Amino acid sequence: MPEPRSFEVGQVLLAREVWKGYLWRARPVICVADSDGLLVHWEPTGTPYIVSTSRGFPEREGLSASNRQVESLATCNWNYTRGSFGGSKLAFVAADSWSSVELTWSGDGRFVHWYVNFQLPADRHASGYDSLDLVIDLVVEPDGSFWWKDTTEFEQALDSGVFPESYRDEVQAATEEVMTLLDSRSGPFDPKWLEWRPPNHWPPTVLPDGLDAGLAKPAGAVEV
């Protein structure tokens, strides 16, 4: 098996989410470190993104955000919207892992929480990497307490066949890995990362042209 593609510190990468060959979400991030299969990247305040949306689908208006996500994944039918992140994030994405961990700060610089995204393992390419958020998340508060988010919707995606049943075991294994890191205060939970700040010379990030290279968009999808 070839060695995974590596990135340079300060390199702007394109982090995309992809489902069945369709672009789901994309945002630019900046490489902080990349060694031994662990990519750490930064999203400064104001980072722009494009993301799937159920706007324009009246039948989904009464659903929760996560239920709308599951419906979009089930039908492979959605539109797109653009926005920007009001805070900042430092993300840890390990090779072959079914989770990533984000340290999140508010726009005024206050540390908010660690946010654990359960996702498909990152597939690296020349411009960055592709993955997909699997709906279910774990939020770890600054004091180390934690709570689950969108477990019902994850079960719905499994029970309806949107996600293969094997995803359940992968998420469980990833949870155990995260808990080991949390208990030992290592990896993304090491307190030293709470003090990390980006170099002043790093420029603002922008969405590049051709961000959907090699991917499709749902038939009739528009930006709304």
Side-chain angles (χ1 to χ4, degrees):
M1 178 179 297
E3 290 296 317
R5 187 185 304 274
S6 60
F7 303 113
E8 300 294 328
V9 174
Q11 181 178 352
V12 178
L13 310 175
L14 184 60
R16 304 190 304 187
E17 293 185 38
V18 177
W19 177 243
K20 296 186 175 180
Y22 295 107
L23 176 68
W24 177 266
R25 181 181 185 226
R27 67 203 190 280
V29 300
I30 304 174
C31 176
V32 172
D34 187 20
S35 63
D36 299 325
L38 176 63
L39 172 63
V40 183
H41 63 66
W42 174 248
E43 292 179 51
T45 299
T47 293
Y49 59 78
I50 184 170
V51 65
S52 61
T53 178
S54 285
R55 294 175 190 170
F57 296 87
E59 68 276 12
R60 301 180 198 171
E61 289 181 358
L63 303 178
S64 69
S66 295
N67 283 135
R68 291 196 300 271
Q69 178 180 350
V70 172
E71 181 65 18
S72 293
L73 293 171
T75 60
C76 289
N77 195 10
W78 57 81
N79 290 318
Y80 292 95
T81 189
R82 293 177 185 256
S84 61
F85 182 53
S88 54
K89 299 179 184 179
L90 184 67
F92 291 68
V93 185
D96 302 322
S97 177
W98 284 69
S99 69
S100 67
V101 182
E102 298 174 344
L103 285 75
T104 303
W105 288 267
S106 63
D108 60 7
R110 176 181 58 86
F111 179 67
V112 180
H113 51 222
W114 290 270
Y115 198 91
V116 183
N117 289 299
F118 293 92
Q119 61 187 44
L120 296 183
D123 181 17
R124 297 192 182 202
H125 50 75
S127 301
Y129 69 89
D130 295 343
S131 182
L132 180 76
D133 179 84
L134 296 178
V135 184
I136 186 172
D137 303 296
L138 181 69
V139 181
V140 181
E141 302 291 354
D143 64 3
S145 61
F146 58 86
W147 51 277
W148 287 95
K149 183 172 179 286
D150 300 330
T151 56
T152 300
E153 290 80 0
F154 177 62
E155 291 296 330
Q156 173 192 341
L158 291 169
D159 293 343
S160 64
V162 175
F163 292 156
E165 180 63 28
S166 60
Y167 283 14
R168 188 192 306 275
D169 292 338
E170 297 290 0
V171 168
Q172 178 58 41
T175 300
E176 294 171 4
E177 294 170 358
V178 168
M179 289 303 177
T180 297
L181 294 173
L182 177 59
D183 289 344
S184 63
R185 292 299 189 270
S186 58
F189 302 104
D190 188 324
K192 71 179 183 182
W193 289 109
L194 295 174
E195 307 302 322
W196 183 88
R197 296 296 182 271
N200 291 330
H201 66 272
W202 280 0
T205 50
V206 297
L207 274 170
D209 295 331
L211 57 84
D212 56 350
L215 301 177
K217 292 182 178 178
V222 298
E223 287 194 29
V224 294

